[in-house]
Amino acid sequence: MNQISARPTEGRIRAIYHRPSEVREKVDKQLAKTGGFWLGKEVSIIQVLKCLTARRVLNAAKILLSFILSGITKKNLVWGVPVVVNIEPTNICNLRCPLCVTGSMSMERPYGRMNFATFKKVVDEIGDRAIYITLYHQGEPYLHKQFSQFVAYAKQKKLYVTTSTNAHFFDADLAEEVVHSGIDSMIVSVDGATQETYGHYRRGGSLDTVLKGIRNLVAAKRRLRSKTPYLFMQFLVMRHNEHEIPAMQELAQKLGVDRLLIKTTQVMAVEEAREWLPKEGRYRRYDLSEDDFQVKHGGEGVCPRPWLTTLVDWNGKVVACCFDKNGHHTMGDMNSPSTFSEIWRTPVYEDFRHRMLNDRQSIDICKNCSQGIRVFV
């Protein structure tokens, strides 16, 4: 939980915010007492440790070693299966966020919801070796009526499960269902401290509904005496809301979430960069000039994602990376007779990894990749 006092003055908030390392140290010490050691800011290490088995540790060692040796030798070596599996329950959303391919209606693939059989096949085939499942990609996960069943099934396999939501659906009943499902953590998007600021980007959204949903989740955790899901309130820093960081810190404290995540924003075009990127350079993941923008140190070197992670879209299509939002690089189909292990080693996957090793600049989705930079402030 953010350790800023309940009603700090604006000056004190700014002073604290400009000492981020000191604040993080104090926060992490406090969280250590409650099982909240974090990995990559939004992952509870203790919850991950609960999921480890000898088989999973061995697989992680094998796939990591194969990636390292692949990078050194420039030969495609693959031992084991991905440690992290990204699964998209749906690419449908209730909001119209302009920088999102779903919200802006620029999605090039069909809209739909994953059926349980597809999800079960993925989990059954690699759930004994994978460690971590992210149940989101594009769209709002809780628009899938079987979402809690997805979570519960993955938790039966003792996998770490997380999701990301805009939190418009958490009445008291669903909040209890969420806790009972066993989900380990949840990112809740709140990009403004007032309705005017929030609604400027989260178009069609209601800040009051979101805050009520968060309170319902916090209350359900307390009522059921559960530490999970760890709630991470995420704030995308943009030009119109960068002045509200102190207010968001105070709001996170009042709501009782486990951590506030301050994240940089992704853009796809110069026009978007000019309109949405914050004025303060440290809140941008891009170097911005008058007529161009470029990721700061991103898209360089050999990326571990094609070895350590994979993504299954709602329709069962397997793609190599979460930056492939439109599914241009399809590696296989989990709704076909093929197993994941067969897809994992298909010629098209092999070719993608070979290009990553030897000609990364030819891969279009790498051009806006955040690898090698901090996406969280």
Side-chain angles (χ1 to χ4, degrees), residues 196-209:
E196 180 181 4
T197 306
Y198 176 82
H200 184 74
Y201 181 70
R202 298 285 169 180
R203 295 177 184 176
S206 164
L207 181 60
D208 285 344
T209 300

Side-chain angles (χ1 to χ4, degrees), residues 45-240:
I45 294 178
I46 288 181
Q47 292 300 112
V48 171
L49 290 176
K50 291 177 182 179
C51 299
L52 295 184
T53 63
R55 188 174 177 85
R56 285 175 176 152
V57 172
L58 178 60
N59 175 72
K62 288 166 59 179
I63 197 66
L64 179 59
L65 179 61
S66 67
F67 162 67
I68 293 172
L69 292 178
S70 294
I72 294 172
T73 65
K74 302 302 179 184
K75 295 180 180 179
N76 183 28
L77 304 172
V78 182
W79 306 323
V81 298
V83 175
V84 179
V85 182
N86 305 291
I87 300 177
E88 179 184 70
T90 181
N91 60 348
I92 300 169
C93 191
N94 54 306
L95 302 183
R96 291 293 174 261
C97 307
L99 297 181
C100 170
V101 293
T102 296
S104 64
M105 304 300 289
S106 59
M107 178 75 68
E108 297 175 13
R109 52 192 173 91
Y111 292 90
R113 295 174 173 85
M114 179 175 283
N115 63 61
F116 190 82
T118 304
F119 176 78
K120 186 175 182 295
K121 181 180 179 183
V122 176
V123 174
D124 286 349
E125 290 190 8
I126 59 175
D128 62 333
R129 290 162 291 169
I131 298 172
Y132 186 99
I133 286 185
T134 65
L135 273 176
Y136 67 96
H137 179 41
Q138 303 303 303
E140 166 52 44
Y142 282 93
L143 282 174
H144 197 303
K145 294 183 179 180
Q146 291 181 295
F147 184 78
S148 291
Q149 292 174 250
F150 282 18
V151 174
Y153 189 78
K155 290 308 299 178
Q156 286 178 20
K157 305 289 185 179
K158 301 187 184 303
L159 288 154
Y160 185 104
V161 183
T162 188
T163 194
S164 179
T165 176
N166 61 49
H168 276 78
F169 304 100
F170 298 124
D171 57 22
D173 290 340
L174 181 56
E176 286 212 359
E177 182 181 304
V178 168
V179 177
H180 281 303
S181 73
I183 192 167
D184 294 281
S185 61
M186 176 183 293
I187 295 171
V188 182
S189 298
V190 188
D191 302 323
T194 64
Q195 176 59 39
E196 180 181 4
T197 306
Y198 176 82
H200 184 74
Y201 181 70
R202 298 285 169 180
R203 295 177 184 176
S206 164
L207 181 60
D208 285 344
T209 300
V210 172
L211 299 184
K212 184 176 180 180
I214 295 173
R215 293 188 184 101
N216 285 337
L217 288 166
V218 171
K221 285 174 59 178
R222 290 173 179 166
R223 188 163 54 251
L224 298 172
R225 299 181 179 179
S226 175
K227 290 182 180 179
T228 57
Y230 287 105
L231 300 175
F232 305 114
M233 193 168 83
Q234 180 173 280
F235 180 75
L236 288 178
V237 188
M238 292 171 273
R239 184 172 297 251
H240 69 282

